[in-house]
Amino acid sequence: PNAEQAQQAAQQQQQQQSGGNSGGMLRRAPSGRAQKALQQIPLAVLLSLDFVHMYNLPIGDKTNISFRAAAKKNAGNNTSSDGANIGITVEHVLSQISKVKLTLKATFELLRLQFSYTRVLNAASTLTNKVTLYSGGYFLRDFSMSLTRKLSAALTMTNTLGLTSAPSGGSFSTSAQYVLSGHQMVA
């Protein structure tokens, strides 16, 4: 007998020992594919663990300090995203159209300090300039400029030009974000 037949026989024997079937209905054992999927659920839950804790501290009407702690572990393999980090972000609104942000992020291997300036150009466009002041022993390592345009109520497009002192030199990327009734898709 195969495993499915053995399981059905064990269930029937258990029902007979407990005083017959429940309500005259026999329960069919899950198929092989469904049983395999059910067995993999606990394993899938334990493959990845993410922890994020964030606390916002508003100071007046224009300044906000955010404290963030995060940790991530993927079981079975060590990836570059595994590890823990802490961060502090100070954001200050200069006016209705501009704000500045200073971010300090620390991991076990790296300390990074970034400064960004965001300006609303018009109702549909925002320009963000970001410079990495210090990262892993390098000063003024990265600079990026991003233009975000709202194309419709649900569609946003971002163009980013990044310059770096690393051998790669820089990059240009375009991304589209589509939000529909609480669900987000990024392309």
Side-chain angles (χ1 to χ4, degrees), residues 52-113:
V52 176
H53 178 73
M54 189 170 196
Y55 177 73
N56 289 321
L57 177 66
I59 299 176
D61 293 338
K62 295 185 174 190
T63 305
N64 187 39
I65 299 176
S66 299
F67 301 93
R68 183 178 191 272
K72 182 174 187 173
K73 178 62 181 158
N74 289 318
N77 58 355
N78 291 328
T79 63
S80 61
S81 64
D82 285 353
N85 64 65
I86 59 171
I88 298 172
T89 300
V90 179
E91 186 173 275
H92 181 72
V93 177
L94 298 173
S95 66
Q96 291 181 347
I97 61 169
S98 61
K99 68 180 175 182
V100 293
K101 184 174 13 176
L102 185 65
T103 303
L104 177 66
K105 182 178 176 183
T107 64
F108 291 112
E109 302 89 18
L110 182 70
L111 179 68
R112 174 179 288 160
L113 181 63

Side-chain angles (χ1 to χ4, degrees), residues 6-153:
Q7 185 178 8
Q8 285 176 350
Q11 283 180 346
Q12 287 174 356
Q13 184 180 7
Q14 184 180 11
Q15 286 176 353
Q16 289 171 357
Q17 289 173 355
S18 65
N21 57 19
S22 56
M25 301 285 288
L26 285 178
R27 224 174 101 201
R28 191 173 74 99
S31 68
R33 180 183 288 174
Q35 186 176 9
K36 187 180 258 187
L38 289 173
Q39 289 171 348
Q40 291 176 348
I41 287 175
L43 181 63
V45 171
L46 298 176
L47 286 179
S48 177
L49 179 64
D50 292 306
F51 167 81
V52 176
H53 178 73
M54 189 170 196
Y55 177 73
N56 289 321
L57 177 66
I59 299 176
D61 293 338
K62 295 185 174 190
T63 305
N64 187 39
I65 299 176
S66 299
F67 301 93
R68 183 178 191 272
K72 182 174 187 173
K73 178 62 181 158
N74 289 318
N77 58 355
N78 291 328
T79 63
S80 61
S81 64
D82 285 353
N85 64 65
I86 59 171
I88 298 172
T89 300
V90 179
E91 186 173 275
H92 181 72
V93 177
L94 298 173
S95 66
Q96 291 181 347
I97 61 169
S98 61
K99 68 180 175 182
V100 293
K101 184 174 13 176
L102 185 65
T103 303
L104 177 66
K105 182 178 176 183
T107 64
F108 291 112
E109 302 89 18
L110 182 70
L111 179 68
R112 174 179 288 160
L113 181 63
Q114 282 185 329
F115 175 79
S116 68
Y117 174 76
T118 302
R119 183 171 180 91
V120 177
L121 301 176
N122 57 38
S125 300
T126 303
L127 181 66
T128 301
N129 297 307
K130 187 185 303 182
V131 63
T132 302
L133 301 172
Y134 180 80
S135 178
Y138 295 99
F139 290 99
L140 301 175
R141 181 171 181 129
D142 299 321
F143 173 77
S144 69
M145 189 179 337
S146 298
L147 177 64
T148 303
R149 292 173 290 183
K150 191 167 190 164
L151 302 177
S152 69

